[in-house]
Amino acid sequence: MKPEIIKVACSNCNLRELCMPMGLSDNDLQKLDEVVATRRKIKRGSTLFSNGEKFTSLYAIRTGFFKTCLASEDGRDQVTGFQMAGEIIGLDGIVNDRHSCDVVALEDAEVCVMPFDRIEEISREVTALQHHVHKIMSREIVREHGVMLLLGSMRAEERLAAFLLNLVQRLHSRGFSQSELVLRMTREEIGSYLGLKLETVSRTFSKFVEDGIVEVKQRHVKILDTEALQRMVNTQPQCH
């Protein structure tokens, strides 16, 4: 089945500020509208692209939630990140013209398809776009570095606290609540990302509930004590 494809325009998109450079002229926006020609709908559980697949486009997430993962040597999936509306995926393919991970929809989703050769072409004329792509790449590098620090030195409580704070902060910048979130990923996927066993994730959530830090109803999480989570994360020795 071919994915449903729809004509799209960045200039009318309410997520524009999140995934496109700020302060573009109407002329620049028109050029970008020409780049983002289509949208694709991805069903929950379906793969947007796979490891080894030829790289042709970047994808701006319009609605929905995704996970990036790699098959580890023992054949299990290692989750390397979670992406949400307004974020751009596909940057992993730039280096070798092939994707180096799988991207799977955690719920029904829609992405804007941005052919990379067109982005490069227009970046030469719209320097703000070029800077923006570099900024996104830089943010990814910083994020991955942060994850490495997280996995390298933090205890289970600190890892989960950092994960929840990061998630709620990203959702808040999209207009959602500062203290409530629905987890689109399973406990197992959180564990895979944080380098923790499923039982450890469940036990740590239970401890947070007992301590009055969060309320949990299935996938719905309400943060009752943000400062307690921040204190956990900030007890980490800082790198200089």
Side-chain angles (χ1 to χ4, degrees):
M1 239 174 72
K2 284 181 76 172
E4 190 179 334
I5 291 183
I6 311 158
K7 180 71 186 155
V8 58
C10 295
S11 44
N12 299 326
C13 181
N14 61 348
L15 287 171
R16 194 175 89 206
E17 292 76 18
L18 284 168
C19 76
M20 283 295 159
M22 297 286 276
L24 291 178
S25 67
D26 289 347
N27 188 31
D28 288 345
L29 271 171
Q30 201 177 338
K31 286 175 186 166
L32 284 177
D33 284 349
E34 290 162 19
V35 174
V36 184
T38 56
R39 283 190 203 148
R40 271 177 64 184
K41 285 186 183 296
I42 313 289
K43 285 269 175 234
R44 182 183 169 197
S46 299
T47 303
L48 175 61
F49 58 77
S50 303
N51 182 17
E53 200 174 301
K54 189 170 167 44
F55 165 70
T56 56
S57 304
L58 296 178
Y59 303 90
I61 304 170
R62 188 171 164 77
T63 58
F65 231 93
F66 288 84
K67 68 172 177 180
T68 45
C69 48
L70 289 167
S72 57
E73 282 175 18
D74 59 5
R76 284 179 309 147
D77 273 349
Q78 167 67 50
V79 177
T80 56
F82 299 104
Q83 294 77 25
M84 62 182 73
E87 294 179 343
I88 290 177
I89 41 183
L91 293 158
D92 60 291
I94 295 173
V95 183
N96 294 319
D97 289 332
R98 294 208 171 271
H99 288 292
S100 60
C101 62
D102 297 340
V103 170
V104 180
L106 293 175
E107 60 182 349
D108 289 354
E110 190 176 55
V111 297
C112 299
V113 182
M114 303 187 289
F116 194 64
D117 53 358
R118 293 287 294 125
I119 291 176
E120 285 194 305
E121 207 175 294
I122 286 178
S123 290
R124 288 193 276 275
E125 299 164 41
V126 183
T127 51
L129 180 62
Q130 191 175 39
H131 291 155
H132 191 65
V133 172
H134 290 161
K135 205 160 122 187
I136 293 164
M137 290 169 80
S138 167
R139 196 169 61 210
E140 279 299 294
I141 293 164
V142 169
R143 189 187 62 78
E144 283 186 10
H145 183 63
V147 172
M148 280 161 63
L149 285 176
L150 185 78
L151 300 186
S153 57
M154 285 187 172
R155 298 195 328 267
E157 289 91 347
E158 293 163 343
R159 293 182 195 195
L160 191 60
F163 173 74
L164 291 173
L165 287 171
N166 172 268
L167 208 52
V168 85
Q169 178 257 316
R170 282 156 70 196
L171 286 163
H172 181 57
S173 70
R174 285 151 180 77
F176 293 98
S177 164
Q178 246 179 316
S179 59
E180 293 189 47
L181 65 155
V182 177
L183 297 172
R184 302 297 177 193
M185 64 295 288
T186 63
R187 300 277 194 279
E188 202 166 356
E189 285 164 337
I190 294 170
S192 175
Y193 178 60
L194 295 176
L196 299 171
K197 289 191 168 72
L198 172 60
E199 308 82 72
T200 310
V201 174
S202 298
R203 199 167 56 240
T204 309
F205 264 117
S206 299
K207 187 178 185 311
F208 285 179
V209 171
E210 281 165 33
D211 294 347
I213 297 169
V214 299
E215 254 177 32
V216 179
K217 288 183 183 140
Q218 281 134 350
R219 291 196 176 195
H220 191 274
V221 176
K222 186 174 185 180
I223 297 172
L224 304 173
D225 192 345
T226 305
E227 284 179 9
L229 292 178
Q230 284 166 342
R231 278 196 303 275
M232 278 183 220
V233 177
N234 292 337
T235 55
Q236 275 296 294
Q238 297 299 308
C239 289
H240 295 286

